Amino acid sequence: MLIPAAAPKSVDFVSAAVTAITDLIRDRDLKPGDRLPAEATLSKDLHVSRTVVREALRSLAALRLVELGAGKRPTVAELDDDAFALMFQHGVCTDQIDIQQIYDARRTIEARTATLAALRRTEAEARAIIMHAKAMEQDFDVPAKVMEHDLALHLAIARASRNPVFALIIGAFHGVTRQTWPVGWKSRSSDDERHAMNELHLQLAEAIAAGDPKVAAALMDRHFDVSLKALTRAGII
Amino acid sequence: MLIPAAAPKSVDFVSAAVTAITDLIRDRDLKPGDRLPAEATLSKDLHVSRTVVREALRSLAALRLVELGAGKRPTVAELDDDAFALMFQHGVCTDQIDIQQIYDARRTIEARTATLAALRRTEAEARAIIMHAKAMEQDFDVPAKVMEHDLALHLAIARASRNPVFALIIGAFHGVTRQTWPVGWKSRSSDDERHAMNELHLQLAEAIAAGDPKVAAALMDRHFDVSLKALTRAGII
DNA sequence: TCTAATGAACCTGTAATACAGGTTTGACGG
DNA sequence: CCGTCAAACCTGTATTACAGGTTCATTAGA
């Protein structure tokens, strides 16, 4: 049973072209890295100007369905959370989503990624996760570095869950998290509390390395309890 | 503390323009419906041609950050799952995500939306959710209608959870689900099984209406057990 | 005074052309 | 067989043009 990939509401040429190109990817069964026809070719085939084709390709590039590059033919792209991140940030900037809602979604999903990561992580992944946890403590004096290791740790856990959907969503949240993280860090009342947070991350990492899904999920949950409390105290929720 | 909204890797004019426009939305604190400067104005302000501005606006329109329309100035857009759906579909078409992974993510998230919906749904939402469940049984002979009510029910639950992040993600999955749902429906061995599935939806709806989060979550979980089994039997997982 | 019509100004959608670079490819020479 | 190089190909950007949709203030009418 064939299903049209997108709504057929092609009032304007550009969305018609977008549909045509996504259909082309599907019909020819193109995979990431495969090259699409050149703009001029598409222009001729779709009977629209190159202007329209370019705007359509830009749309697809914005969604990271294709990749563009000077001189290079458009290629099918790999999944990437950049586009997702932009959308969530827009939702937050325009008051359509608040930080607490993002955190609740994160907590829901990351309890699961922690569970799955504990069950499925490779040895290399376990080492990487623990490395990030330790680095948080080592770089204690440089909050920006702590943050990046924090985010990288969560993303590494999501990847170790072996479900790209989770990795995508968690990665997407990081755009917003980068804006709130410093607030949470500062809102901790003492360095002791900050060390405790790092310690919690390390325990989480070790539970995943040890292959203990229940403990990993519980620690992840506690992590969000603590973080939410810090953000609440800072008044940004 | 100001945070640059997007990476500053503006090798090409268009991504620079995209960044400039998103910054503009943030800096001016624009909300959905607010109008952006006209293309010509942006073109002058950013010192690039209208071509570049248009491609940038198209990119943002693809992500549903702005809305375009003939003769109308670009406006800031409301959150919408269309763009998300396209990305997930692309992921599935290009073998970067498989159906089981989507279902696992759905199950994780929807256990939570069921819980929250049971706690937070309004009376009107409860009625709407039950209405969709009943409609699934009433339209039993028209699978396409059953599917739409099924999807609408899940989306209504997500909305009743009062977290737009969940609604967005669940809505995004529906693009893919529309392609697999008929397979699951056919794979049921008998109409009895199909009726049982509808009954399960009705029980779920009633648990949410009754404000019972535990039962709602448990029923949602069972729903996914059954659905996954059907899809497995059909061999698409 | 209020409302409805109207037209001008404004704006976007699409097309065509032009050219500066970057990329790919195949031919040629070693 | 391999490396080099130039031609062909392709994209990024700018400019101009015009059809048709939208907005808004002014004007005519009730």
Side-chain angles (χ1 to χ4, degrees):
Chain A
M1 176 171 292
L2 269 188
I3 297 94
K9 48 176 311 188
S10 29
V11 241
D12 65 303
F13 289 24
V14 175
S15 27
V18 167
T19 304
I21 296 170
T22 53
D23 285 356
L24 185 150
I25 293 176
R26 208 191 51 225
D27 294 344
R28 296 198 190 167
D29 204 33
L30 299 182
K31 303 301 171 198
D34 289 351
R35 292 196 300 182
L36 276 79
E39 290 174 4
T41 311
L42 288 170
S43 167
K44 208 179 298 179
D45 291 355
L46 306 179
H47 306 291
V48 290
S49 71
R50 203 186 137 205
T51 308
V52 169
V53 171
R54 278 191 62 78
E55 291 189 11
L57 285 172
R58 278 289 179 195
S59 295
L60 294 172
L63 297 169
R64 303 292 195 275
L65 303 207
V66 307
E67 217 172 273
L68 306 178
K72 291 192 288 203
R73 297 248 297 272
T75 56
V76 175
E78 283 184 18
L79 284 177
D80 186 295
D81 50 39
D82 278 13
F84 283 94
L86 272 181
M87 287 189 265
F88 282 120
Q89 270 181 274
H90 178 253
V92 171
C93 285
T94 57
D95 296 343
Q96 301 183 71
I97 302 175
D98 67 43
I99 303 295
Q100 185 163 22
Q101 290 164 335
I102 298 259
Y103 267 79
D104 190 52
R106 275 194 64 187
R107 141 178 261 156
T108 302
I109 292 167
E110 299 209 36
R112 179 74 177 155
T113 56
T115 302
L116 291 176
L119 295 170
R120 301 178 179 171
R121 92 286 179 289
T122 63
E123 285 304 321
E125 284 166 343
R127 274 195 303 276
I129 290 169
I130 287 186
M131 185 271 285
H132 284 302
K134 287 188 174 161
M136 286 174 70
E137 188 62 22
Q138 276 157 20
D139 291 330
F140 190 85
D141 297 326
V142 191
K145 284 192 184 179
V146 180
M147 172 173 85
E148 287 309 323
H149 281 298
D150 187 350
L151 297 180
L153 183 150
H154 284 276
L155 194 55
I157 293 173
R159 280 200 233 278
S161 78
R162 294 269 172 285
N163 187 336
V165 176
F166 290 134
L168 224 47
I169 296 174
I170 295 307
F173 289 152
H174 284 1
V176 171
T177 305
R178 280 205 178 78
Q179 301 183 26
T180 59
W181 194 97
V183 181
W185 183 257
K186 276 187 224 143
S187 79
R188 259 85 176 179
S189 60
S190 69
D191 274 357
D192 279 352
E193 254 189 81
R194 297 189 186 97
H195 285 298
M197 189 187 76
N198 288 355
E199 175 60 24
L200 187 52
H201 277 88
L202 186 56
Q203 285 174 12
L204 169 60
E206 281 166 351
I208 289 171
D212 191 332
K214 289 245 163 63
V215 172
L219 286 168
M220 184 66 93
D221 214 53
R222 197 155 102 220
H223 162 45
F224 277 100
D225 271 340
V226 176
S227 293
L228 274 170
K229 212 170 288 177
L231 288 174
T232 307
R233 197 180 327 151
I236 78 162
I237 285 187
Chain B
M1 176 170 294
L2 268 187
I3 297 95
K9 46 169 328 187
S10 27
V11 241
D12 64 302
F13 289 25
V14 175
S15 27
V18 166
T19 303
I21 296 170
T22 53
D23 286 355
L24 185 151
I25 293 176
R26 208 191 51 224
D27 294 344
R28 295 199 191 167
D29 206 33
L30 300 182
K31 302 301 171 199
D34 290 350
R35 291 195 303 180
L36 277 76
E39 291 175 5
T41 311
L42 288 169
S43 168
K44 209 178 296 176
D45 292 353
L46 305 179
H47 306 290
V48 291
S49 72
R50 201 186 140 206
T51 310
V52 168
V53 171
R54 278 191 62 77
E55 291 188 11
L57 285 172
R58 279 287 179 194
S59 295
L60 294 172
L63 296 169
R64 303 292 195 276
L65 304 206
V66 308
E67 218 173 273
L68 305 178
K72 291 193 286 203
R73 298 247 295 270
T75 57
V76 175
E78 282 184 19
L79 284 177
D80 186 295
D81 50 38
D82 277 14
F84 282 94
L86 272 182
M87 287 189 265
F88 283 120
Q89 270 182 275
H90 178 252
V92 172
C93 284
T94 56
D95 296 343
Q96 300 183 72
I97 302 176
D98 65 43
I99 304 297
Q100 185 163 20
Q101 289 164 336
I102 299 260
Y103 267 78
D104 190 52
R106 275 192 63 186
R107 141 179 260 155
T108 302
I109 294 167
E110 299 209 36
R112 180 73 176 154
T113 57
T115 302
L116 291 176
L119 294 171
R120 302 178 179 171
R121 93 287 179 287
T122 64
E123 286 304 321
E125 284 167 342
R127 274 195 303 276
I129 291 169
I130 287 185
M131 184 270 285
H132 284 303
K134 286 188 175 160
M136 286 174 68
E137 188 62 23
Q138 275 157 22
D139 290 331
F140 189 85
D141 297 327
V142 191
K145 285 192 184 177
V146 181
M147 172 173 84
E148 287 310 323
H149 281 298
D150 187 350
L151 297 181
L153 183 150
H154 284 276
L155 194 56
I157 293 173
R159 281 200 234 277
S161 78
R162 293 271 173 283
N163 187 334
V165 177
F166 291 135
L168 223 47
I169 296 175
I170 296 307
F173 288 153
H174 285 359
V176 171
T177 305
R178 280 205 177 78
Q179 300 181 29
T180 59
W181 194 96
V183 181
W185 182 258
K186 275 188 223 143
S187 79
R188 259 85 177 179
S189 59
S190 68
D191 274 356
D192 280 353
E193 256 189 79
R194 298 189 186 97
H195 284 297
M197 189 186 75
N198 288 357
E199 175 61 24
L200 186 53
H201 277 89
L202 185 55
Q203 286 174 13
L204 169 61
E206 280 166 352
I208 290 172
D212 191 332
K214 289 244 163 63
V215 172
L219 286 169
M220 184 65 93
D221 213 53
R222 197 156 101 219
H223 163 45
F224 277 99
D225 271 341
V226 176
S227 293
L228 274 170
K229 213 168 289 177
L231 288 175
T232 306
R233 198 181 325 151
I236 78 161
I237 285 187

